[in-house]
Amino acid sequence: MAHQARINTVVESLTKAPRNVAFPTKNGQVQPTSEIFGQNVFSRKEMARMLPKPVYKTFVQTLKGNHTMDKVTADAIAHAVKVWAIERGASHFTHWFQPLNDSTAEKHDSFLTLKSNFVDGHEEVTAIDSFSGSQLLQSEPDASSFPSGGMRSTFEARGYTVWDTKSPMFIQEGPHGTFILYIPSVFISYNGEALDEKSVLLRSSEILERVALDVLNIIEPKDSETRSKSVHTTLGTEQEYFLIDRALYTLRPDLKITGRTLLGGLPPRHQQLEDHYFGKIPTRVLSAISECEYELAKLGVPIKTRHNEVAPAQFEVAPIFEEALLAVDHNLLTMDVLHRVAHRHKLKVLFHEKPFRGVNGSGKHCNWSMSTDNGENLLDPTANPEKNTRFLLFLVATLKGVYDHGDLLRAGVASASNDHRLGAHEAPPGIISAFLGSQLTEVLDAVEQNRPVNYATAGLELKHVRVKGTVLDLKVANLPPIARDLTDRNRTSPFAFTGNKFEFRAVGSKQSPSFPVTLLNSAVAKALTEILADLNAIKGNKPVASEEEQLTIIRKYIKLTKPIRFEGDNYSDEWVKEAAKRGLANITKSPAAFLRLLRKENKDMLVKMGVFSEAELTSRYHILVEKYAKDITIEAQTMITMVIQQVLPAAYQYRRDLAEAASFMKNIGVGAAPEIDLLNELTPIVNTLQKDITALKYLMVDLREVHDIVKLADDCCEKVVPKMEAIRELADKLERNVADKLWPLPKYTELFLNI
């Protein structure tokens, strides 16, 4: 029956009619994306159009931190956004926030309000649409039902969502043609502790801006008209994911419950021919992605790139870089819209970092930089990086932050799911290092040694390359010269400089980028604080540090950060040995990584910088540890159920079929050696699998008595995970040997190729 379900599902996927999507047209052609971009967003431009000028001016001052939101302003904005949303079909509103579970949360409230009037002693009720400033500013979800790491007891339920004025409101489609107004918010406890990802991201961004401006004030001329007035971090998140047929997905309990396949072996052909990456996108997938891009364009999410990834059925979408606070919201929206649109196309999107063993997993490469209000990228090396002291100061500050708190960044990307990906020769290892490329390495060496840059040493004095690293002549008559970046790309590096930004490649595909970016912001802000103190000390009473004084500080930090810089293969065993000599931590498992949050240097930095309170940081540690233990426990229990109820029965049936066939052959005088040989091969596998699954079952019973969550996580890591790996090896051997008609689960071949 299970085999027939697999066949029916495959046949259905091949015969079902494709989904037709009516894209908006103009003059008989599909309307350009630029004309629909942001149409469902209550943008600053829309606010300026709908609000009285004094109210809008007050709101802008609030964004700059120069004014507190008053009731008049809040009520005016609430009225304007209510009118705007209802005109577009909205019936409900929600405070949209990011609790500490790598997801988003929302509670829908109707605009409907009942107004009572008493006439002649009788109550007359009138239904009206209403939305007040107080409803806009805050809401009250049940704080006891979200992860809090011990900061809140079950009976302490009060918590608040508060409108994040820096993120624009937007509408999304609801049921039956209605829409819902989304209000991006932070989530705090009754006592003001952060219970979400966004609060600490906002704090880290403000702290980084403040100290970055202080540094710029020391190095920029006081009378400069282009003097920076604000600094913000920029972020571009490359979102990787898998798409599989939804009907096949429903036949895999492991995918439905855990997000990854706990059992299953590779088909003969998967990614080894290297033909999927940038290959032709399958028709159904392209249709889904195209619809997703359309939906995201209306939400103001600037998706720029789509392509096949390395593994079969794996894809990527990437946006244009934006201010980090907005980019995080947009990444979470992208994941949500991908999920909903895939469902319409009878597909299932998988964001798990390693849904399929043996092929590449998925990451969320976070491209991070800093920019001023003048649009100047502080990590842009320009044509002569050796003369750009501003770039060099912010470069070495970033390197110093990563060097001092690399283990903290490793903790920020740790999870049970990302453990399968990190260090697996497809993603960065557990050692955090930074890659700069040959030219920037030579630039730093030259600055440190106070000598001219030797471009031949950097490998850039090539026959067809202009030395400043800008143009590559292909020496083919009909091909134009092309731009060449200052650095090559090192895909094995967890933190690589890629032209004018750093690419943090270790971030997991299903996690929110908020936490890793918060930690990175904080580490760089701390390093900038140290550089600021050195600049103040060396310049004395002068208003601005001279170029030579700046270079003196730059040389100091070039020397200090040498151990974190590595230009080679991060996958190699040699790098593991070299990293140990340099004193860099090699953290291969999540429980050990989580502990780094509480390392004194990391804890002191985060608390003193004001990003976390001590209670918030401790709670974050406990939340991560508890989630890890729960994830492994759920996987183990799912594996036990699948093996006992599906895998072993299929093996038993096949052994019985073989035994009956062998007996029949003997009865008619025909040799039964093939059947007996296969029986003899299967029997020890089945015996060992039955023994191991029983042992895992009893181990999970024993772990119920472990109430120390830290010990439980360690036991899951050291005892449960190895046992599950051994069980998987046995089950996958059975998959290869048991008759296909008896196998109850869709195989990788079907999951990869039926899209």
Side-chain angles (χ1 to χ4, degrees), residues 503-563:
E503 184 180 18
F504 192 11
R505 299 185 66 252
V507 180
S509 55
K510 76 173 184 178
Q511 76 173 115
S512 166
S514 290
F515 189 43
V517 173
T518 294
L519 299 180
L520 178 56
N521 286 351
S522 305
V524 175
K526 175 62 166 59
L528 282 170
T529 301
E530 297 174 16
I531 289 175
L532 177 64
D534 288 342
L535 286 170
N536 276 320
I538 198 171
K539 79 177 181 62
N541 295 324
K542 299 191 299 297
V544 175
S546 68
E547 182 177 326
E548 188 52 45
E549 289 168 339
Q550 293 176 45
L551 285 170
T552 299
I553 303 304
I554 290 167
R555 292 186 185 104
K556 171 185 174 180
Y557 285 90
I558 290 174
K559 293 176 183 177
L560 286 174
T561 58
K562 276 187 176 181

Side-chain angles (χ1 to χ4, degrees), residues 256-404:
K256 289 197 293 183
I257 296 171
T258 73
R260 76 179 182 103
T261 54
L262 302 175
L263 310 170
L266 286 173
R269 174 181 171 180
H270 41 92
Q271 67 181 41
Q272 68 269 52
L273 295 181
E274 300 176 332
D275 57 348
H276 192 260
Y277 189 59
F278 279 28
K280 187 174 180 60
I281 301 174
T283 302
R284 181 156 56 133
V285 171
L286 184 58
S287 177
I289 297 176
S290 181
E291 184 178 352
C292 179
E293 290 176 341
Y294 167 62
E295 297 288 350
L296 288 170
K298 292 189 291 184
L299 292 168
V301 182
I303 297 298
K304 181 71 172 177
T305 302
R306 64 191 183 204
H307 63 82
N308 285 5
E309 258 298 334
V310 172
Q314 187 185 31
F315 308 93
E316 178 184 299
V317 292
I320 298 171
F321 300 168
E322 304 175 279
E323 185 172 352
L325 297 171
L326 184 59
V328 168
D329 282 359
H330 282 174
N331 176 251
L332 298 175
L333 269 177
T334 298
M335 296 172 71
D336 177 57
V337 172
L338 273 169
H339 170 78
R340 288 190 284 109
V341 171
H343 195 273
R344 299 171 191 167
H345 290 260
K346 309 300 182 184
L347 293 167
K348 176 63 182 177
V349 63
L350 304 176
F351 291 117
H352 193 286
E353 284 81 1
K354 195 73 169 180
F356 303 105
R357 189 169 76 161
V359 297
N360 278 19
S362 299
K364 193 194 306 277
H365 301 175
C366 289
N367 295 273
W368 179 93
S369 188
M370 295 167 280
S371 291
T372 71
D373 55 321
N374 297 317
E376 295 179 307
N377 184 347
L378 296 175
L379 289 180
D380 181 3
T382 64
N384 299 96
E386 68 275 18
K387 297 179 181 178
N388 188 340
T389 56
R390 184 182 71 176
F391 160 72
L392 292 171
L393 280 168
F394 281 89
L395 176 68
V396 295
T398 305
L399 293 174
K400 183 65 162 54
V402 175
Y403 178 47
D404 288 344

Side-chain angles (χ1 to χ4, degrees), residues 140-327:
E140 185 181 328
D142 184 347
S144 67
S145 299
F146 292 98
S148 68
M151 282 196 299
R152 304 288 290 160
S153 299
T154 302
F155 63 86
E156 297 175 314
R158 197 178 297 278
Y160 302 105
T161 53
V162 182
W163 175 33
D164 171 21
T165 55
K166 291 188 175 181
S167 294
M169 293 176 274
F170 55 91
I171 56 172
Q172 284 209 86
E173 188 175 346
H176 316 302
T178 63
F179 283 81
I180 301 154
L181 173 65
Y182 280 72
I183 306 166
S185 305
V186 300
F187 181 37
I188 59 175
S189 73
Y190 179 70
N191 297 319
E193 298 105 342
L195 296 176
D196 68 335
E197 301 280 14
K198 198 171 199 182
S199 295
V200 291
L201 178 61
L202 284 163
R203 292 176 195 167
S204 71
S205 298
E206 290 182 0
I207 291 164
L208 180 58
E209 177 185 34
R210 187 164 59 245
V211 67
L213 280 175
D214 287 344
V215 170
L216 290 173
N217 285 337
I218 289 181
I219 65 175
E220 292 181 337
K222 294 290 183 183
D223 57 352
S224 172
E225 292 183 0
T226 59
R227 192 174 177 80
S228 304
K229 297 180 180 63
S230 67
V231 172
H232 61 269
T233 53
T234 60
L235 185 67
T237 53
E238 302 170 25
Q239 180 67 57
E240 296 175 342
Y241 58 96
F242 283 80
L243 280 171
I244 62 172
D245 186 88
R246 184 155 57 91
L248 289 169
Y249 164 83
T250 62
L251 298 176
R252 293 282 317 208
D254 46 2
L255 279 175
K256 289 197 293 183
I257 296 171
T258 73
R260 76 179 182 103
T261 54
L262 302 175
L263 310 170
L266 286 173
R269 174 181 171 180
H270 41 92
Q271 67 181 41
Q272 68 269 52
L273 295 181
E274 300 176 332
D275 57 348
H276 192 260
Y277 189 59
F278 279 28
K280 187 174 180 60
I281 301 174
T283 302
R284 181 156 56 133
V285 171
L286 184 58
S287 177
I289 297 176
S290 181
E291 184 178 352
C292 179
E293 290 176 341
Y294 167 62
E295 297 288 350
L296 288 170
K298 292 189 291 184
L299 292 168
V301 182
I303 297 298
K304 181 71 172 177
T305 302
R306 64 191 183 204
H307 63 82
N308 285 5
E309 258 298 334
V310 172
Q314 187 185 31
F315 308 93
E316 178 184 299
V317 292
I320 298 171
F321 300 168
E322 304 175 279
E323 185 172 352
L325 297 171
L326 184 59

